[in-house]
Amino acid sequence: MTAHVSVRGDVAVLVPAAGMGVRLGPGGPKALRLLGGEPLLVHAVRRLALAPSVGCIVVAAPADAVSFVAELLEPVAPVTVVPGGATRQASVAAALAAVPDGFDIVLVHDAARALTPPELVESVAAAVRGGHGAVIPVLPVVDTIKQVSDSGSVVATVDRSSLRAVQTPQGFRREVLEKAHSAAIDEHTDDAGMAERIGEPVHTVPGSEAALKITRPFDLAVASLLL
Ligand code: CTP
Ligand code: MG
């Protein structure tokens, strides 16, 4: 697969990749762990660069691996690499600050969702271009969901029909993401949560099973079967 970052693409993508991958177990930063012989980050960036809308990619790397990551991605796609922060939110903010003028649509995409298809990137970008200030890909929840007390007893069975599991890339009009980040005082696990906090309506589009987040060793095994 050869990646081409489109010079006409109107979308900048921020790739937080500075996490330590604690839940994946020992073996270094998660974005640099191998899947089919290549780092997760390489898989993720290659697929982003194949999306025709994408004109700019900014990666937030572990602070001690910025030049290593820049060299790693050099043959994959033109990218800007910045040092990430102590939290995902800080890493996203660092990448956002490096987006050049002229990109009015910004997507945020976890390096850990290494196999996300370019088509999902396009559908999120298209929804932002179509007028939504904030867009997230979602999947229906398939398991029965129960609320459980600290002692382990079931408190209630939750109606799952209105629940959705949320993926990345999440897409924003640039000013919405900037405003959400500058207004954020507490930690959020996703960027759309910060947009909700400032009152921005968040639109959903269908997600993709292939955009699974690689969190635990089991997920890495699933991803290597998908590859
Ligand atoms: N991330 C980041 N900067 C951080 C923490 C996380 O850029 N300080 C990135 C990760 O590299 C990943 C994405 O945010 O691409 C989603 O985070 P997660 O899946 O939790 O990855 P890790 O934080 O690396 O994993 P863990 O929580 O198990 O340590
Ligand atoms: Mg984490």
Side-chain angles (χ1 to χ4, degrees):
M1 219 189 295
T2 310
H4 300 280
V5 170
S6 161
V7 286
R8 286 194 308 272
D10 58 347
V11 172
V13 188
L14 317 181
V15 187
M20 286 301 118
V22 172
R23 288 168 291 178
L24 201 52
K30 181 160 70 180
L32 301 178
R33 298 284 289 268
L34 301 183
L35 169 65
E38 291 186 298
L40 294 181
L41 180 60
V42 168
H43 288 284
V45 167
R46 184 183 293 131
R47 286 162 178 76
L48 288 171
L50 283 168
S53 288
V54 174
C56 167
I57 298 173
V58 183
V59 173
D64 59 0
V66 171
S67 47
F68 176 80
V69 166
E71 276 169 41
L72 179 72
L73 295 175
E74 223 257 338
V76 181
V79 297
T80 301
V81 184
V82 299
T87 63
R88 180 186 182 281
Q89 196 166 309
S91 295
V92 172
L96 181 57
V99 174
D101 289 344
F103 289 96
D104 295 332
I105 299 174
V106 180
L107 270 51
V108 185
H109 183 52
D110 291 330
R113 297 185 186 272
L115 300 184
T116 299
E119 293 75 17
L120 185 62
V121 178
E122 286 303 303
S123 92
V124 170
V128 179
R129 210 177 281 120
H132 296 287
V135 177
I136 58 174
V138 299
L139 289 176
V141 174
V142 290
D143 290 311
T144 296
I145 304 287
K146 293 196 194 279
Q147 189 186 344
V148 176
S149 73
D150 288 345
S151 66
S153 358
V154 171
V155 176
T157 300
V158 179
D159 174 16
R160 72 175 178 215
S161 63
S162 67
L163 298 180
R164 300 290 182 273
V166 177
Q167 302 182 316
T168 75
Q170 301 191 346
F172 305 89
R173 296 224 65 85
R174 182 181 187 151
E175 65 270 18
V176 169
L177 189 61
E178 287 176 341
K179 198 172 155 202
H181 269 265
S182 54
I185 38 174
D186 44 6
E187 275 304 311
H188 294 263
T189 55
D190 76 341
D191 302 278
M194 297 164 56
E196 285 163 54
R197 185 60 70 83
I198 61 164
E200 181 69 30
V202 179
H203 181 68
T204 65
V205 297
S208 162
E209 302 280 2
L212 83 158
K213 183 153 82 81
I214 297 168
T215 304
R216 289 156 299 212
F218 178 80
D219 308 319
L220 198 55
V222 171
S224 60
L225 288 177
L226 287 174
L227 195 62

